[in-house]
Amino acid sequence: MEVVFYDIKIGIGIARAEGTLAFIFVPYEMLILSIFKKLRIFPIQNSHFLIFLIITCGISILFTHFLGQKNEEYIGYFHKFESHKNNAVWHVISSMFFIGAVCAGIISIMWWHES
């Protein structure tokens, strides 16, 4: 079981990374679309929030899925990440990206529901 989940070359690690990236990109896309709606550039101004959420999730999943097809590049990135002597810097950067995603999600929800 350990080999299946932690061996990079099998592909389960890449699938887990793809799902995580898809989850992380959604709030940023929501924020962009909320800014478009706030500036009245969004073509569907009065759409329901669930439609908005489905659109952003779909875009995010398609984006990460097509990037996930390049397994050799992901494996190279994982090897670079593991080869760094100080992973604390990368953990701080990824934590900041995650905290930014949470903040972007909250802001986009508030902006979307403004009248």
Side-chain angles (χ1 to χ4, degrees), residues 37-52:
K37 183 181 179 201
K38 195 170 181 90
L39 296 174
R40 302 198 186 278
I41 300 172
F42 196 64
I44 309 169
Q45 284 293 324
N46 297 325
S47 65
H48 195 270
F49 181 75
L50 290 177
I51 294 170
F52 165 67

Side-chain angles (χ1 to χ4, degrees), residues 27-42 45 49 52 56 104-114:
Y28 289 111
E29 293 173 8
M30 287 171 57
L31 183 63
I32 291 169
L33 291 178
S34 293
I35 290 171
F36 286 167
K37 183 181 179 201
K38 195 170 181 90
L39 296 174
R40 302 198 186 278
I41 300 172
F42 196 64
Q45 284 293 324
F49 181 75
F52 165 67
T56 56
I106 292 169
I107 291 169
S108 65
I109 290 170
M110 288 184 339
W111 281 356
W112 188 266
H113 291 296
E114 280 183 359

